[in-house]
PDB file of all heavy atoms in Angstrom:
ATOM      1  N   VAL A  30     -13.096  -0.378  -4.406  1.00  0.00           N
ATOM      2  CA  VAL A  30     -12.410  -1.609  -4.031  1.00  0.00           C
ATOM      3  C   VAL A  30     -13.436  -2.717  -3.788  1.00  0.00           C
ATOM      4  O   VAL A  30     -14.415  -2.528  -3.080  1.00  0.00           O
ATOM      5  CB  VAL A  30     -11.545  -1.411  -2.770  1.00  0.00           C
ATOM      6  CG1 VAL A  30     -10.855  -2.707  -2.381  1.00  0.00           C
ATOM      7  CG2 VAL A  30     -10.525  -0.316  -2.991  1.00  0.00           C
ATOM      8  N   THR A  31     -13.181  -3.857  -4.412  1.00  0.00           N
ATOM      9  CA  THR A  31     -13.990  -5.051  -4.194  1.00  0.00           C
ATOM     10  C   THR A  31     -13.046  -6.191  -3.807  1.00  0.00           C
ATOM     11  O   THR A  31     -11.820  -6.034  -3.830  1.00  0.00           O
ATOM     12  CB  THR A  31     -14.767  -5.447  -5.466  1.00  0.00           C
ATOM     13  OG1 THR A  31     -13.822  -5.820  -6.479  1.00  0.00           O
ATOM     14  CG2 THR A  31     -15.646  -4.302  -5.963  1.00  0.00           C
ATOM     15  N   GLU A  32     -13.610  -7.322  -3.511  1.00  0.00           N
ATOM     16  CA  GLU A  32     -12.776  -8.474  -3.152  1.00  0.00           C
ATOM     17  C   GLU A  32     -11.864  -8.896  -4.297  1.00  0.00           C
ATOM     18  O   GLU A  32     -10.854  -9.553  -4.071  1.00  0.00           O
ATOM     19  CB  GLU A  32     -13.646  -9.647  -2.703  1.00  0.00           C
ATOM     20  CG  GLU A  32     -14.225  -9.430  -1.323  1.00  0.00           C
ATOM     21  CD  GLU A  32     -14.881 -10.677  -0.752  1.00  0.00           C
ATOM     22  OE1 GLU A  32     -14.166 -11.688  -0.577  1.00  0.00           O
ATOM     23  OE2 GLU A  32     -16.079 -10.616  -0.493  1.00  0.00           O
ATOM     24  N   ASP A  33     -12.197  -8.523  -5.513  1.00  0.00           N
ATOM     25  CA  ASP A  33     -11.342  -8.842  -6.665  1.00  0.00           C
ATOM     26  C   ASP A  33      -9.970  -8.182  -6.563  1.00  0.00           C
ATOM     27  O   ASP A  33      -9.025  -8.603  -7.227  1.00  0.00           O
ATOM     28  CB  ASP A  33     -12.006  -8.393  -7.970  1.00  0.00           C
ATOM     29  CG  ASP A  33     -13.270  -9.170  -8.281  1.00  0.00           C
ATOM     30  OD1 ASP A  33     -13.435 -10.290  -7.750  1.00  0.00           O
ATOM     31  OD2 ASP A  33     -14.095  -8.663  -9.050  1.00  0.00           O
ATOM     32  N   TYR A  34      -9.849  -7.149  -5.750  1.00  0.00           N
ATOM     33  CA  TYR A  34      -8.594  -6.417  -5.610  1.00  0.00           C
ATOM     34  C   TYR A  34      -7.681  -6.993  -4.531  1.00  0.00           C
ATOM     35  O   TYR A  34      -6.518  -6.612  -4.443  1.00  0.00           O
ATOM     36  CB  TYR A  34      -8.872  -4.952  -5.247  1.00  0.00           C
ATOM     37  CG  TYR A  34      -9.377  -4.106  -6.380  1.00  0.00           C
ATOM     38  CD1 TYR A  34     -10.704  -4.171  -6.776  1.00  0.00           C
ATOM     39  CD2 TYR A  34      -8.548  -3.231  -7.045  1.00  0.00           C
ATOM     40  CE1 TYR A  34     -11.191  -3.385  -7.811  1.00  0.00           C
ATOM     41  CE2 TYR A  34      -9.011  -2.433  -8.072  1.00  0.00           C
ATOM     42  CZ  TYR A  34     -10.338  -2.525  -8.459  1.00  0.00           C
ATOM     43  OH  TYR A  34     -10.803  -1.747  -9.476  1.00  0.00           O
ATOM     44  N   VAL A  35      -8.188  -7.879  -3.706  1.00  0.00           N
ATOM     45  CA  VAL A  35      -7.453  -8.319  -2.522  1.00  0.00           C
ATOM     46  C   VAL A  35      -6.101  -8.919  -2.867  1.00  0.00           C
ATOM     47  O   VAL A  35      -5.077  -8.563  -2.270  1.00  0.00           O
ATOM     48  CB  VAL A  35      -8.292  -9.291  -1.673  1.00  0.00           C
ATOM     49  CG1 VAL A  35      -7.452  -9.929  -0.583  1.00  0.00           C
ATOM     50  CG2 VAL A  35      -9.476  -8.558  -1.070  1.00  0.00           C
ATOM     51  N   ASP A  36      -6.039  -9.807  -3.839  1.00  0.00           N
ATOM     52  CA  ASP A  36      -4.768 -10.445  -4.192  1.00  0.00           C
ATOM     53  C   ASP A  36      -3.735  -9.405  -4.626  1.00  0.00           C
ATOM     54  O   ASP A  36      -2.589  -9.424  -4.175  1.00  0.00           O
ATOM     55  CB  ASP A  36      -4.976 -11.485  -5.292  1.00  0.00           C
ATOM     56  CG  ASP A  36      -3.684 -12.177  -5.683  1.00  0.00           C
ATOM     57  OD1 ASP A  36      -3.056 -12.787  -4.795  1.00  0.00           O
ATOM     58  OD2 ASP A  36      -3.291 -12.086  -6.871  1.00  0.00           O
ATOM     59  N   LEU A  37      -4.134  -8.496  -5.482  1.00  0.00           N
ATOM     60  CA  LEU A  37      -3.220  -7.455  -5.966  1.00  0.00           C
ATOM     61  C   LEU A  37      -2.792  -6.530  -4.829  1.00  0.00           C
ATOM     62  O   LEU A  37      -1.609  -6.185  -4.703  1.00  0.00           O
ATOM     63  CB  LEU A  37      -3.883  -6.660  -7.084  1.00  0.00           C
ATOM     64  CG  LEU A  37      -3.113  -5.471  -7.641  1.00  0.00           C
ATOM     65  CD1 LEU A  37      -1.733  -5.878  -8.131  1.00  0.00           C
ATOM     66  CD2 LEU A  37      -3.915  -4.823  -8.762  1.00  0.00           C
ATOM     67  N   LEU A  38      -3.718  -6.143  -3.986  1.00  0.00           N
ATOM     68  CA  LEU A  38      -3.366  -5.271  -2.862  1.00  0.00           C
ATOM     69  C   LEU A  38      -2.441  -5.982  -1.880  1.00  0.00           C
ATOM     70  O   LEU A  38      -1.537  -5.361  -1.310  1.00  0.00           O
ATOM     71  CB  LEU A  38      -4.630  -4.767  -2.166  1.00  0.00           C
ATOM     72  CG  LEU A  38      -5.453  -3.758  -2.975  1.00  0.00           C
ATOM     73  CD1 LEU A  38      -6.773  -3.471  -2.286  1.00  0.00           C
ATOM     74  CD2 LEU A  38      -4.672  -2.469  -3.202  1.00  0.00           C
ATOM     75  N   CYS A  39      -2.617  -7.283  -1.703  1.00  0.00           N
ATOM     76  CA  CYS A  39      -1.696  -8.035  -0.839  1.00  0.00           C
ATOM     77  C   CYS A  39      -0.295  -8.082  -1.452  1.00  0.00           C
ATOM     78  O   CYS A  39       0.697  -7.927  -0.740  1.00  0.00           O
ATOM     79  CB  CYS A  39      -2.214  -9.448  -0.581  1.00  0.00           C
ATOM     80  SG  CYS A  39      -3.466  -9.529   0.705  1.00  0.00           S
ATOM     81  N   ARG A  40      -0.223  -8.260  -2.764  1.00  0.00           N
ATOM     82  CA  ARG A  40       1.089  -8.219  -3.417  1.00  0.00           C
ATOM     83  C   ARG A  40       1.744  -6.853  -3.210  1.00  0.00           C
ATOM     84  O   ARG A  40       2.954  -6.753  -2.978  1.00  0.00           O
ATOM     85  CB  ARG A  40       0.972  -8.530  -4.905  1.00  0.00           C
ATOM     86  CG  ARG A  40       0.749 -10.018  -5.165  1.00  0.00           C
ATOM     87  CD  ARG A  40       0.805 -10.353  -6.624  1.00  0.00           C
ATOM     88  NE  ARG A  40      -0.486 -10.004  -7.227  1.00  0.00           N
ATOM     89  CZ  ARG A  40      -0.635  -9.548  -8.465  1.00  0.00           C
ATOM     90  NH1 ARG A  40       0.395  -9.356  -9.252  1.00  0.00           N
ATOM     91  NH2 ARG A  40      -1.838  -9.265  -8.930  1.00  0.00           N
ATOM     92  N   LEU A  41       0.944  -5.801  -3.283  1.00  0.00           N
ATOM     93  CA  LEU A  41       1.475  -4.457  -3.034  1.00  0.00           C
ATOM     94  C   LEU A  41       1.936  -4.304  -1.585  1.00  0.00           C
ATOM     95  O   LEU A  41       2.914  -3.610  -1.313  1.00  0.00           O
ATOM     96  CB  LEU A  41       0.428  -3.399  -3.367  1.00  0.00           C
ATOM     97  CG  LEU A  41       0.324  -3.025  -4.831  1.00  0.00           C
ATOM     98  CD1 LEU A  41      -0.953  -2.249  -5.106  1.00  0.00           C
ATOM     99  CD2 LEU A  41       1.538  -2.215  -5.267  1.00  0.00           C
ATOM    100  N   MET A  42       1.224  -4.938  -0.670  1.00  0.00           N
ATOM    101  CA  MET A  42       1.624  -4.846   0.749  1.00  0.00           C
ATOM    102  C   MET A  42       3.011  -5.425   0.971  1.00  0.00           C
ATOM    103  O   MET A  42       3.746  -4.966   1.838  1.00  0.00           O
ATOM    104  CB  MET A  42       0.620  -5.573   1.641  1.00  0.00           C
ATOM    105  CG  MET A  42      -0.677  -4.830   1.833  1.00  0.00           C
ATOM    106  SD  MET A  42      -0.503  -3.297   2.757  1.00  0.00           S
ATOM    107  CE  MET A  42      -0.623  -3.911   4.427  1.00  0.00           C
ATOM    108  N   TYR A  43       3.393  -6.436   0.204  1.00  0.00           N
ATOM    109  CA  TYR A  43       4.709  -7.068   0.366  1.00  0.00           C
ATOM    110  C   TYR A  43       5.808  -6.329  -0.397  1.00  0.00           C
ATOM    111  O   TYR A  43       6.982  -6.596  -0.182  1.00  0.00           O
ATOM    112  CB  TYR A  43       4.666  -8.515  -0.103  1.00  0.00           C
ATOM    113  CG  TYR A  43       3.642  -9.376   0.602  1.00  0.00           C
ATOM    114  CD1 TYR A  43       2.869 -10.284  -0.106  1.00  0.00           C
ATOM    115  CD2 TYR A  43       3.431  -9.291   1.972  1.00  0.00           C
ATOM    116  CE1 TYR A  43       1.930 -11.083   0.530  1.00  0.00           C
ATOM    117  CE2 TYR A  43       2.497 -10.088   2.617  1.00  0.00           C
ATOM    118  CZ  TYR A  43       1.754 -10.986   1.884  1.00  0.00           C
ATOM    119  OH  TYR A  43       0.824 -11.770   2.506  1.00  0.00           O
ATOM    120  N   ALA A  44       5.445  -5.421  -1.279  1.00  0.00           N
ATOM    121  CA  ALA A  44       6.420  -4.730  -2.131  1.00  0.00           C
ATOM    122  C   ALA A  44       7.094  -3.588  -1.368  1.00  0.00           C
ATOM    123  O   ALA A  44       6.421  -2.707  -0.838  1.00  0.00           O
ATOM    124  CB  ALA A  44       5.726  -4.193  -3.378  1.00  0.00           C
ATOM    125  N   PRO A  45       8.425  -3.574  -1.333  1.00  0.00           N
ATOM    126  CA  PRO A  45       9.142  -2.546  -0.571  1.00  0.00           C
ATOM    127  C   PRO A  45       9.361  -1.227  -1.313  1.00  0.00           C
ATOM    128  O   PRO A  45       9.837  -0.266  -0.730  1.00  0.00           O
ATOM    129  CB  PRO A  45      10.492  -3.217  -0.292  1.00  0.00           C
ATOM    130  CG  PRO A  45      10.694  -4.107  -1.466  1.00  0.00           C
ATOM    131  CD  PRO A  45       9.309  -4.602  -1.848  1.00  0.00           C
ATOM    132  N   TRP A  46       9.007  -1.136  -2.581  1.00  0.00           N
ATOM    133  CA  TRP A  46       9.361   0.013  -3.416  1.00  0.00           C
ATOM    134  C   TRP A  46       8.370   1.167  -3.354  1.00  0.00           C
ATOM    135  O   TRP A  46       8.543   2.167  -4.049  1.00  0.00           O
ATOM    136  CB  TRP A  46       9.559  -0.428  -4.866  1.00  0.00           C
ATOM    137  CG  TRP A  46       8.455  -1.261  -5.415  1.00  0.00           C
ATOM    138  CD1 TRP A  46       8.422  -2.634  -5.483  1.00  0.00           C
ATOM    139  CD2 TRP A  46       7.214  -0.815  -5.959  1.00  0.00           C
ATOM    140  NE1 TRP A  46       7.237  -3.050  -6.029  1.00  0.00           N
ATOM    141  CE2 TRP A  46       6.468  -1.956  -6.335  1.00  0.00           C
ATOM    142  CE3 TRP A  46       6.645   0.439  -6.167  1.00  0.00           C
ATOM    143  CZ2 TRP A  46       5.212  -1.878  -6.904  1.00  0.00           C
ATOM    144  CZ3 TRP A  46       5.383   0.518  -6.728  1.00  0.00           C
ATOM    145  CH2 TRP A  46       4.688  -0.634  -7.092  1.00  0.00           C
ATOM    146  N   HIS A  47       7.342   1.077  -2.559  1.00  0.00           N
ATOM    147  CA  HIS A  47       6.380   2.178  -2.446  1.00  0.00           C
ATOM    148  C   HIS A  47       6.139   2.501  -0.968  1.00  0.00           C
ATOM    149  O   HIS A  47       6.673   1.821  -0.093  1.00  0.00           O
ATOM    150  CB  HIS A  47       5.058   1.833  -3.154  1.00  0.00           C
ATOM    151  CG  HIS A  47       4.317   0.710  -2.503  1.00  0.00           C
ATOM    152  ND1 HIS A  47       3.457   0.895  -1.450  1.00  0.00           N
ATOM    153  CD2 HIS A  47       4.329  -0.622  -2.761  1.00  0.00           C
ATOM    154  CE1 HIS A  47       2.962  -0.267  -1.084  1.00  0.00           C
ATOM    155  NE2 HIS A  47       3.475  -1.212  -1.859  1.00  0.00           N
ATOM    156  N   HIS A  48       5.369   3.537  -0.704  1.00  0.00           N
ATOM    157  CA  HIS A  48       5.112   3.978   0.672  1.00  0.00           C
ATOM    158  C   HIS A  48       3.619   3.980   0.998  1.00  0.00           C
ATOM    159  O   HIS A  48       3.155   4.787   1.785  1.00  0.00           O
ATOM    160  CB  HIS A  48       5.677   5.382   0.895  1.00  0.00           C
ATOM    161  CG  HIS A  48       7.155   5.468   0.711  1.00  0.00           C
ATOM    162  ND1 HIS A  48       7.799   6.673   0.572  1.00  0.00           N
ATOM    163  CD2 HIS A  48       8.120   4.530   0.629  1.00  0.00           C
ATOM    164  CE1 HIS A  48       9.091   6.458   0.418  1.00  0.00           C
ATOM    165  NE2 HIS A  48       9.314   5.163   0.445  1.00  0.00           N
TER     166      HIS A  48
END
Side-chain angles (χ1 to χ4, degrees):
V30 179
T31 65
E32 286 190 61
D33 294 339
Y34 285 79
V35 170
D36 180 58
L37 176 56
L38 290 172
C39 279
R40 285 187 280 146
L41 278 166
M42 285 293 274
Y43 302 138
W46 50 263
H47 66 86
H48 299 165

